[in-house]
Amino acid sequence: MATAPVILIVNGPNLNMLGRRQPEVYGRETLADVEALCRAHAAPLGLEVEFRQSNHEGVLVDWIQGARDRCAGIVINAGAYTHTSVALLDALLAAEVPTVEVHLSNIHQREEFRHHSFVSKAARGMICGFGSHGYLLALDALARLIRGNREA
Ligand code: DQA
């Protein structure tokens, strides 16, 4: 049996605090809950999930670089680094892996400084404002892209 395409799901700073951190903004689900939802959703799509979180920019860069030639897609919620990190943008551009950007909250309804995303410049698309469901929508989008590539 052919091995399933691997999707790297990368979570940035403070997302380890999910469930306890500003629940009125980010909800009550923990990151472990989000991981479980992603794994359950990915299986019938025929995708394998690698789910990771770090508070450290360089670690995130290393993981993104490591996805090149190994992963079929990236889902990234870069947290606050979304709005600050040219290093993450460059890593995503270098990885050359189809990427979907996700945010739990609707960043465009929030403070002005959250409206700009460096990650978006390297992403095929961006999903925000749907809470953890955004991760599942991102997996659907990547499954379709990967299927399209295989059939092309
Ligand atoms: C976030 C939005 C960011 O602005 C914020 O810094 C986060 C979480 C979201 O998922 O809504 O840490 O990426």
Side-chain angles (χ1 to χ4, degrees):
M1 205 179 77
T3 53
V6 177
I7 306 297
L8 176 64
I9 305 182
V10 200
N11 294 280
N14 299 307
L15 289 164
N16 56 316
M17 301 288 288
L18 221 55
R20 288 176 291 158
R21 167 197 186 203
Q22 294 179 275
E24 69 287 358
V25 177
Y26 298 116
R28 299 237 168 242
E29 283 168 314
T30 65
L31 196 62
D33 294 332
V34 178
E35 177 173 359
L37 288 171
C38 287
R39 291 195 184 285
H41 195 76
L45 293 172
L47 302 174
E48 189 183 316
V49 160
E50 261 181 38
F51 195 94
R52 299 184 184 188
Q53 188 276 331
S54 176
N55 293 328
H56 304 278
E57 190 174 15
V59 172
L60 298 167
V61 167
D62 287 344
W63 287 343
I64 293 165
Q65 286 183 8
R68 194 187 157 100
D69 302 326
R70 197 177 62 81
C71 293
I74 296 174
V75 176
I76 183 165
N77 182 351
Y81 289 143
T82 304
H83 318 298
T84 62
S85 181
V86 176
L88 285 187
L89 167 60
D90 285 349
L92 288 165
L93 292 172
E96 294 183 354
V97 174
T99 296
V100 180
E101 176 182 1
V102 169
H103 300 284
L104 297 151
S105 63
N106 182 343
I107 56 175
H108 296 290
Q109 275 179 353
R110 301 182 63 195
E111 304 94 322
E112 192 86 27
F113 64 83
R114 295 188 203 273
H115 297 181
H116 177 262
S117 165
F118 283 101
V119 170
S120 286
K121 296 226 174 290
R124 293 290 290 262
M126 195 264 263
I127 298 161
C128 73
F130 296 104
S132 62
H133 188 58
Y135 286 74
L136 311 185
L137 295 171
L139 287 170
D140 286 341
L142 285 174
R144 197 179 160 94
L145 280 174
I146 292 163
R147 220 179 300 128
N149 287 344
R150 281 183 165 177
E151 281 158 16

